[in-house]
Amino acid sequence: MSNDTVRHNWTLAEIRALHDLPLFDLLDKARSVHVQHHPNNELQLCTLLSVKTGGCPEDCGYCSQSSKHQKSPVEPQRLLDVDAVVAAAKQAKLNGATRFCMGAAWRSVKDGPAFERVLEMIRGVKAQGLEACVTLGMLTDDQARRLKEAGLDSYNHNLDTSREYYPKVVSTRTYDDRLHTLRAVRGAGIGVCCGGIIGMGESLDDRCRLLLELSSLDPHPESVPINSLVPIPGTPMGELPRVDPVDVARMIATARVLFPTSRVRLAAGRHELGREGQILCLYAGANSIFYGDQLLTTPNPEPGTDVELLQVTGLQPLAPALSDAAPLTATATA
Ligand code: SAM
Ligand code: DTB
Ligand code: SF4
């Protein structure tokens, strides 16, 4: 398969037909695309850090950090110091991560000291030889330009679900607000990390419409995170059932076929998939995971368990950009 098979004109019917194939036929297609474009059995390890936790004015129904969900267990915290973030990035690198992603529970970025501090964090992370990614909410063109100037590689801003289902998930912003920020990111020359969440009560067509929307972005997002809902008690989605691992694998395999050259990330919800569920998702075409015992506010598998996952699959962590990272061991610290 050559790059001319990177398509931006998929139809919903085509995507749904792919998604609904007999499982092994879908896996065969995804695997064939995967080995043509990502031949090295590589797995990208990204470590996440919440640099500003809680107190967010948006009302995303899945999120522990919304101030609208009074019963969520998350206590708001102030923006971390640059030194603490750089120390966490150094540790992430020692543990074998090559990408460091920082999340802030903001609706949008405000110009001022907090933004200046985030720019300093990005410079500090880049100085460690790590890829830097942030997710800060909505951005203006000028803010995107300043993030790029600070050395930012990638901006995470998820569409989360279909345009049709979006109002069931969040009422304080629109789908077009999200697309507007994605254009600002792309316009500044920053890589786009954009995906969604399954398991929020959406239909299979909604999942396929999300993929359709993402596939219409030109160029495609360099990275497509597929999150499974982590139900947080005290949020509107806190009582929803866990996603079936086979459903996650179907979503990942469909994304792999649609986004041949992108990284597809097996993101939130990995904890509950179990070892074999995760292996199925990696076989389906995921080539990136969050690595470290914490996502933003919820637990992630222990690094030692992930090292075993790499050993049992024979996957290799993506080589670090600089060579002073320690080799992975099952005792890697969080
Ligand atoms: N405030 C920023 C924003 O919304 O763009 C950045 C932080 S937000 C927590 C980053 C992403 O994490 C969300 O877009 C969503 O896809 C994912 N996420 C948040 N809570 C989740 C949950 N409980 N389960 C699964 N994914 C979740
Ligand atoms: C993404 O798509 N998933 C990550 C990252 N981008 C920022 C966040 C997952 C959050 C899971 C819930 C939590 O830990 O609060
Ligand atoms: Fe705020 Fe982001 Fe959580 Fe939505 S997902 S409530 S914008 S932190």
Side-chain angles (χ1 to χ4, degrees), residues 73-138:
V74 168
E75 288 294 324
Q77 288 168 19
R78 298 223 306 257
L79 182 65
L80 295 183
D81 291 333
V82 175
D83 287 353
V85 173
V86 173
K90 281 185 179 158
Q91 187 60 54
K93 185 175 179 195
L94 284 172
N95 290 350
T98 54
R99 176 156 158 141
F100 194 71
C101 310
M102 294 164 273
W106 288 335
R107 174 167 204 273
S108 57
V109 170
K110 307 261 181 311
D111 292 326
F115 184 43
E116 299 303 321
R117 201 189 294 180
V118 170
L119 295 173
E120 202 51 43
M121 290 173 189
I122 293 167
R123 288 189 276 266
V125 169
K126 288 305 296 172
Q128 308 312 313
L130 288 159
E131 270 182 47
C133 178
V134 293
T135 176
L136 312 170
M138 289 183 249

Side-chain angles (χ1 to χ4, degrees), residues 48-50 62-65 74 101-104 133-135 156-158 160 193-197 224-230 232 265 267-269 290 294-300:
L48 252 181
L49 179 67
S50 181
Y62 49 78
C63 188
S64 62
Q65 305 196 69
V74 168
C101 310
M102 294 164 273
C133 178
V134 293
T135 176
N156 169 241
H157 200 67
N158 292 336
D160 280 342
C193 171
C194 184
I197 311 180
V224 181
I226 304 296
N227 296 278
S228 305
L229 178 73
V230 179
I232 315 269
R265 183 167 307 126
F290 289 119
Q294 186 79 1
L295 289 167
L296 291 173
T297 67
T298 64
N300 197 41

Side-chain angles (χ1 to χ4, degrees), residues 1 10 23 43 49 52 55 78 93 95-96 119 122 140 204 220 226 230 258 305 320 329:
M1 183 182 286
W10 288 89
L23 183 62
L43 185 65
L49 179 67
K52 163 68 186 86
R78 298 223 306 257
K93 185 175 179 195
N95 290 350
L119 295 173
I122 293 167
T140 63
L204 295 182
H220 282 165
I226 304 296
V230 179
L258 264 53
T305 316
T329 65

